[in-house]
Amino acid sequence: MGKVLSVFFDEAGQQDMSEGYYLLTLVLHDQSTSLIPYIEDYEESLSIGGLSDVPFHMVDLLHGHGDYEGMDTHERKSLLARFNAFVRVLPIQYHTFKYSSFDVATKDDLSTRMRRDIVDFIYANLESFLSCDTIAVYYDDGQQAVTRAVHDAFGYMLGGVVVRYKQYGYQDRRLSQVADYLCSIELASIRYVRGEESSTYHKFFGMRGDFKRNYLKQAHRKLM
């Protein structure tokens, strides 16, 4: 099958820029390095801690919604700490594109900018991408602008490499959760810098210095 590179996407914000910003995070994983041992260690840590193995989703975790409904703050903070530790050891890299309402005004503008930025990112790392036989792109087509930008950019830059759009498997679901985590950390960073962080952020991440030391700095070790 040759070398396969997985690429996962997650986004934060509204495409109409009503929140003032939009983020798109890419997580990359060389499939020649199995994630099974890391996933098993993570699941064992949950079991030892008496914690439920729920699909990680940052917004729901912070606010006690979805699968986290009924869990108290202590339990949710424990889940966050274990997922943070899981991400720290994973053999992955990531990159986040950040947009503000000063940069783009419409969904079409956003899609155009994302396509250009993904093309530039691939070009800057072209040797790494071309060393692969297959690029496996995982995205749930949740955002039309993202779908268009991703398909256009990867098709344009990597026409000589097999690009396949895949459904999630066992390992892949975990990496989609990792993309959610990293995109959420980058979003939190923006809010801390702008002084827009909430009391919920303080409860789970601490003050700005705590967040930078315990979460942002650790995440940035995976930057590509």
Side-chain angles (χ1 to χ4, degrees):
M1 185 170 72
K3 182 178 178 180
V4 180
L5 179 71
S6 296
V7 186
F8 295 79
F9 295 83
D10 196 79
E11 64 277 322
Q14 298 298 319
Q15 289 187 11
D16 62 5
M17 306 306 292
S18 58
E19 296 180 5
Y21 48 75
Y22 189 87
L23 281 70
L24 178 67
T25 292
L26 288 68
V27 171
L28 301 98
H29 166 240
D30 180 348
Q31 288 190 12
S32 64
T33 303
S34 174
L35 298 180
I36 297 298
Y38 302 95
I39 294 172
E40 290 178 344
D41 286 347
Y42 168 65
E43 292 174 349
E44 183 180 5
S45 76
L46 294 178
S47 178
I48 291 172
L51 297 167
S52 301
D53 184 5
V54 300
F56 184 88
H57 188 258
M58 183 70 84
V59 171
D60 287 347
L61 183 149
L62 295 178
H63 299 285
H65 297 159
D67 292 322
Y68 300 93
E69 189 172 356
M71 295 184 187
D72 61 25
T73 300
H74 175 76
E75 187 173 1
R76 286 182 282 134
K77 288 178 72 172
S78 295
L79 286 167
L80 176 60
R82 281 167 170 77
F83 201 84
N84 177 30
F86 171 56
V87 174
R88 287 187 188 188
V89 299
L90 285 177
I92 59 167
Q93 293 179 294
Y94 84 99
H95 185 84
T96 298
F97 304 105
K98 304 173 185 179
Y99 307 96
S100 77
S101 54
F102 296 104
D103 302 317
V104 296
T106 68
K107 291 182 181 180
D108 287 341
D109 291 341
L110 178 63
S111 185
T112 299
R113 279 289 305 275
M114 284 192 292
R115 179 191 183 279
R116 186 187 73 191
D117 289 346
I118 295 171
V119 165
D120 289 346
F121 175 75
I122 294 173
Y123 183 77
N125 299 280
L126 193 57
E127 185 175 348
S128 295
F129 280 101
L130 292 181
S131 70
C132 303
D133 298 285
T134 301
I135 310 294
V137 177
Y138 296 82
Y139 183 64
D140 62 6
D141 290 342
Q143 301 274 13
Q144 185 178 2
V146 176
T147 301
R148 186 165 66 248
V150 168
H151 283 247
D152 287 353
F154 276 82
Y156 173 71
M157 288 298 296
L158 298 169
V161 177
V162 177
V163 178
R164 293 178 176 157
Y165 298 91
K166 307 279 287 182
Q167 298 296 314
Y168 295 137
Y170 170 61
Q171 292 188 95
D172 312 320
R173 285 192 295 272
R174 290 297 187 193
L175 282 182
S176 71
Q177 295 164 25
V178 170
D180 174 275
Y181 171 87
L182 291 169
C183 195
S184 298
I185 292 300
E186 293 292 346
L187 173 60
S189 175
I190 291 175
R191 288 176 170 165
Y192 273 103
V193 168
R194 294 182 177 179
E196 298 173 354
E197 74 274 19
S198 64
S199 59
T200 300
Y201 273 19
H202 290 163
K203 185 185 300 181
F204 283 87
F205 298 128
M207 302 305 288
R208 183 179 176 185
D210 300 317
F211 167 75
K212 289 179 66 177
R213 180 173 59 256
N214 298 322
Y215 292 92
L216 187 63
K217 182 178 178 180
Q218 302 302 326
H220 280 182
R221 292 177 178 174
K222 305 292 184 181
L223 280 176
M224 181 176 182

